[in-house]
Amino acid sequence: MGSVASRIYGAVIAHRNRRFDAGRGVLTLDRPVVSVGNLSAGGTGKTPMVMRICRWLREAGHHPVIAMRGYGSGRGFSDEALLYDEALPGVPVVARPDRAAGLLELFATPEGEGVDCILLDDGFQHRRIARQCEIVLVDSTSNVFTDRLLPAG
């Protein structure tokens, strides 16, 4: 069953990627976007990498925002978004399923006007926002050549 579902999932993803590759449905923002994603499901260190990049950007004088899907924790804000908020005071966090809409809303505020770059957390699969830099992490304990697509992998 997982193998059949994975093939269907792969076909759907391939169709979506062809659309995005052609630029259909992709929003280009007026600030540079750095996407941090992964190839494998699970923990590859995206959150610590986003924090590190955010700190580097701030040390270089930039004012980043972190945009993420924002899976709910039952408290209205995801645990990961709360972690960013605590670890990176003063850095806005947009945690919404529609990251593009959340970013556009932020940019229309006085706080958002000061943002000069965007970090997409778990952005590899999120193709609606154009990016200038793509950082893809892999699990070094797993063979990416034998991994399978969700839901099987």
Side-chain angles (χ1 to χ4, degrees):
M1 173 79 170
S3 175
V4 172
S6 291
R7 283 197 299 269
I8 293 168
Y9 179 76
V12 170
I13 295 301
H15 173 73
R16 283 185 66 219
N17 283 338
R18 283 191 297 277
R19 283 186 52 242
F20 289 131
D21 290 345
R24 292 192 307 270
V26 178
L27 173 66
T28 299
L29 297 167
D30 63 349
R31 298 146 220 232
V33 176
V34 175
S35 169
V36 178
N38 64 344
L39 292 177
S40 308
T44 55
K46 290 185 305 290
T47 301
M49 180 59 74
V50 168
M51 283 192 217
R52 175 167 287 179
I53 294 167
C54 187
R55 288 184 180 113
W56 288 338
L57 288 167
R58 291 177 81 189
E59 288 169 7
H62 292 283
H63 303 282
V65 60
I66 297 171
M68 57 187 298
R69 172 119 171 75
Y71 299 100
S73 67
R75 295 178 289 169
F77 216 43
S78 73
D79 291 337
E80 192 174 26
L82 290 171
L83 178 65
Y84 284 136
D85 198 47
E86 292 169 7
L88 301 164
V91 174
V93 176
V94 171
R96 294 202 16 206
D98 187 342
R99 297 176 217 195
L103 286 167
L104 292 174
E105 285 177 18
L106 174 68
F107 296 158
T109 69
E111 178 185 29
E113 289 178 9
V115 169
D116 64 2
C117 55
I118 301 156
L119 285 170
L120 288 181
D121 177 314
D122 202 11
F124 188 59
Q125 292 81 14
H126 182 82
R127 306 266 321 263
R128 283 197 54 227
I129 297 175
R131 65 283 315 269
Q132 286 64 50
C133 178
E134 186 94 59
I135 298 170
V136 181
L137 306 175
V138 295
D139 178 352
S140 64
T141 65
S142 174
N143 183 346
V144 296
F145 300 105
T146 60
D147 282 351
R148 299 183 323 173
L149 284 175
L150 292 170

